[in-house]
């Protein structure tokens, strides 16, 4: 098991990316969401389960997201057969920015229940 943690540096809900870079990174998170086998809410955030082959994508995107959005706590755990990303924040208003990952279509979410 490999664990990578990025702890928040502040609680100000600001992103250091310009609009174009933020949109590009949001599209990458949408790709992660599309690869997810299961997404579940956590207190103050969300947990995303991915297949093992998504490990490098998860690590890279988590590092970049932690750099630009210092209010987030992001943990990536890689096992031989799965990847888990926990995205949380101690800032109450941040949960609205994290919520889009929970909007996975029901059929995809149900299909992933046995893969956690």
């Amino acid at each position: 098991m490999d664990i990578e943690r990025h702890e928040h540096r502040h609680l100000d809900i600001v992103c250091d990316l310009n609009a174009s870079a933020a949109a590009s990174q949001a599209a990458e998170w949408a790709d992660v969401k599309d690869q997810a086998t299961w997404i579940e809410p956590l207190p103050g955030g969300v947990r995303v389960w991915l297949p093992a082959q998504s490990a490098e994508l998860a690590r890279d995107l988590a590092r970049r997201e932690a750099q630009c959005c210092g209010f987030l706590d992001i943990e990536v755990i890689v096992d031989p057969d799965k990847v888990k990303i926990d995205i949380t924040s101690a800032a109450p208003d941040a949960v609205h920015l994290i919520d889009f990952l929970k909007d996975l279509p029901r059929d995809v979410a149900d299909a992933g229940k046995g893969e956690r």
Side-chain angles (χ1 to χ4, degrees), residues 25-35 61 100-101:
Q25 197 152 298
E28 290 182 75
W29 279 111
D31 289 343
V32 165
K33 181 181 125 179
D34 288 344
Q35 294 178 35
L61 191 51
F100 79 95
L101 288 171

Side-chain angles (χ1 to χ4, degrees), residues 35-68:
Q35 294 178 35
T37 58
W38 181 251
I39 296 176
E40 60 188 296
L42 293 175
V46 66
R47 174 171 289 155
V48 181
W49 296 90
L50 299 165
Q53 63 265 28
S54 299
E56 285 310 311
L57 169 66
R59 285 186 189 115
D60 176 58
L61 191 51
R63 279 184 211 115
R64 289 185 288 123
E65 191 68 30
Q67 287 178 337
C68 66

Side-chain angles (χ1 to χ4, degrees), residues 2 23 26 33 35 57 59 73 78 82 88 96 106:
D2 179 33
K33 181 181 125 179
Q35 294 178 35
L57 169 66
R59 285 186 189 115
D73 293 305
V78 178
K82 63 185 176 289
T88 59
H96 303 293
R106 174 62 56 198

Side-chain angles (χ1 to χ4, degrees), residues 59-114:
R59 285 186 189 115
D60 176 58
L61 191 51
R63 279 184 211 115
R64 289 185 288 123
E65 191 68 30
Q67 287 178 337
C68 66
C69 292
F71 57 92
L72 293 176
D73 293 305
I74 304 174
E75 181 177 78
V76 180
I77 299 177
V78 178
D79 283 331
D81 60 337
K82 63 185 176 289
V83 177
K84 178 179 77 167
I85 306 173
D86 286 355
I87 306 169
T88 59
S89 181
D93 291 336
V95 75
H96 303 293
L97 299 172
I98 300 167
D99 271 348
F100 79 95
L101 288 171
K102 291 189 274 188
D103 294 331
L104 196 64
R106 174 62 56 198
D107 58 335
V108 175
D110 287 341
K113 283 183 180 176

Side-chain angles (χ1 to χ4, degrees), residues 2-20:
D2 179 33
I3 301 173
E4 186 174 313
R5 288 187 181 96
H6 305 278
E7 295 185 7
H8 69 274
R9 299 181 313 278
H10 56 76
L11 295 179
D12 299 325
I13 302 186
V14 294
C15 178
D16 294 336
L17 297 177
N18 64 38
S20 175

